[in-house]
Amino acid sequence: MAIAKAERLMNLALCLLGTRRPLSKRELRDSIEAYVEAAGTGSGAAGSDDSFNRMFERDKDDLRELGLVIETVENLDGEVGYLARRDSNSLPPITLDAEEAAALGLAAKVWQQARLAGAASGALQKLRAAGLPEGVDPYEAHGALEPRIPVHEAAFEPLMLACRDRRPVVFEYRKATAARPEPRHVEPWALECWRGHWYLAGFDRDRGAERVFRLSRITGKVRSRGAAFTAEVPDVVTVRETVASWAGETADRSALIRLRSGAGYPLRAKASLVRELGDGWDELEIPYGHGLDAWLVEFGPDVVVLEPAELRADVVDRLRAVAKG
């Protein structure tokens, strides 16, 4: 049985590596003898399909655990195909010193609470086989550190894979000022966590420009597309800097707000001046830049904008849009 499975995995890997276009389940089923036999042993058409589907999904997961990068591509008709590009499955010789191994170990610990925990652990095992120095524990050097990055958004994993595989995606996105989500066709570049939220940077095909999307505002399923990127991917994708500029981090003006006492600590940390007004309110001067209105709306009734007038109007418009939605 072990030999039969190894042969089946090898045949599947050769099919996926040898194709120039994505192969559907049906095509793979007809190309590999073990799948043809599995389809013939089921009870009826539904039973044969179920037997093949279970075997194929297990084999695909096993190949990915072994390190094969398998792309999943959905064509315009909605049919899913699979392939393993040779350029994505070849690596130069890997050599790591003790400090590099420790850095990778620390990075792997970040994902202990996410679905990537198994992949991170498996990656370290593969690196050991590829030349990790003997006697080096990648977790030991920084054992006192316990980094955590929460990943709650369902869009994270498909977008991470799309960034890795350079595949365009389509998803429904709800802007802070919109009552309903809108479809976005995006060439994803990179993901980054900032202020406890995940963001995607990429090229928005509909708008013909770079955009940053907050994952918590993506609704529904993220769908991949088989077409190639049309825009050039920057050498360095500055997600954090882009989000920071939209959130007023690079502001050169000030805004005057009223903030409820005991609330809005992130705003207090950014304030250049805080005055107690009494009656449960404080007055703050904070940096004002593009996107500050969206940030202030998140604090709801705990914030009242005093100046400037355009910022106050923007916040009121956003609150009205939320109330209508």
Side-chain angles (χ1 to χ4, degrees):
M1 291 296 293
I3 295 176
K5 180 176 181 180
E7 182 179 355
R8 191 174 72 241
L9 291 176
M10 179 63 71
N11 289 334
L12 177 58
L14 290 175
C15 282
L16 295 173
L17 287 167
T19 183
R20 293 184 178 180
R21 62 174 180 82
L23 297 176
S24 66
K25 278 188 179 183
R26 174 182 50 80
E27 292 173 312
L28 291 168
R29 172 179 175 170
D30 296 339
S31 301
I32 298 175
E33 184 178 357
Y35 290 155
V36 175
E37 294 177 356
T41 58
S43 176
S48 63
D49 288 341
D50 291 342
S51 178
F52 161 69
N53 286 331
R54 288 194 300 269
M55 182 180 290
F56 174 73
E57 292 300 326
R58 287 196 302 267
D59 290 348
K60 180 159 57 70
D61 292 341
D62 287 343
L63 287 178
R64 281 174 169 162
E65 282 294 319
L66 291 171
L68 189 69
V69 179
I70 301 175
E71 298 183 21
T72 303
V73 180
E74 185 177 343
N75 62 25
L76 295 177
D77 297 327
E79 187 179 33
V80 176
Y82 306 89
L83 79 161
R85 302 183 193 275
R86 291 185 178 273
D87 56 352
S88 300
N89 286 283
S90 60
L91 290 173
I94 299 174
T95 57
L96 298 173
D97 58 28
E99 291 184 355
E100 291 170 333
L104 287 173
L106 185 62
K109 293 181 72 174
V110 168
W111 303 108
Q112 286 182 356
Q113 293 181 331
R115 293 184 62 183
L116 297 176
S121 177
L124 287 177
Q125 294 178 8
K126 295 180 180 69
L127 289 172
R128 278 198 180 279
L132 190 67
E134 290 293 333
V136 173
D137 185 352
Y139 294 113
E140 183 179 5
H142 303 287
L145 297 178
E146 292 291 337
R148 292 288 188 274
I149 296 182
V151 180
H152 304 297
E153 294 86 353
F156 176 84
E157 187 168 0
L159 287 175
M160 180 199 67
L161 296 175
C163 289
R164 182 197 67 185
D165 299 336
R166 291 287 188 260
R167 286 185 283 109
V169 294
V170 178
F171 51 78
E172 296 287 326
Y173 188 77
R174 180 186 56 80
K175 296 192 298 183
T177 55
R180 297 179 178 84
E182 299 176 350
R184 296 294 185 97
H185 299 76
V186 179
E187 299 174 10
W189 293 344
L191 289 163
E192 186 161 343
C193 187
W194 188 80
R195 289 189 181 275
H197 299 287
W198 279 98
Y199 294 86
L200 168 72
F203 181 78
D204 190 322
R205 287 181 169 179
D206 297 322
R207 289 151 184 80
E210 175 186 356
R211 289 291 188 270
V212 172
F213 305 92
R214 183 162 155 175
L215 266 61
S216 61
R217 292 182 181 149
I218 295 177
T219 62
K221 184 179 180 181
V222 176
R223 300 184 179 275
S224 300
R225 291 293 179 259
F229 279 14
T230 58
E232 184 178 353
V233 180
D235 293 334
V236 178
V237 181
T238 55
V239 184
R240 185 179 299 249
E241 287 77 1
T242 302
V243 175
S245 65
W246 279 71
E249 297 291 321
T250 56
D252 55 2
R253 294 177 291 168
S254 294
L256 189 63
I257 66 172
R258 291 178 62 196
L259 181 63
R260 199 182 301 275
S261 301
Y265 290 103
L267 292 173
R268 295 178 186 276
K270 301 295 295 183
S272 57
L273 180 64
V274 179
R275 290 187 292 267
E276 293 185 8
L277 299 179
D279 296 329
W281 291 90
D282 298 326
E283 189 176 82
L284 282 70
E285 287 187 15
I286 58 175
Y288 172 33
H290 182 75
L292 178 61
D293 54 335
W295 192 26
L296 293 178
V297 168
E298 296 181 8
F299 296 93
D302 292 331
V303 170
V304 177
V305 179
L306 302 177
E307 298 176 0
E310 64 266 22
L311 176 61
R312 181 182 176 88
D314 289 341
V315 170
V316 170
D317 289 342
R318 285 181 178 270
L319 289 174
R320 285 174 176 167
V322 171
K324 290 179 182 178

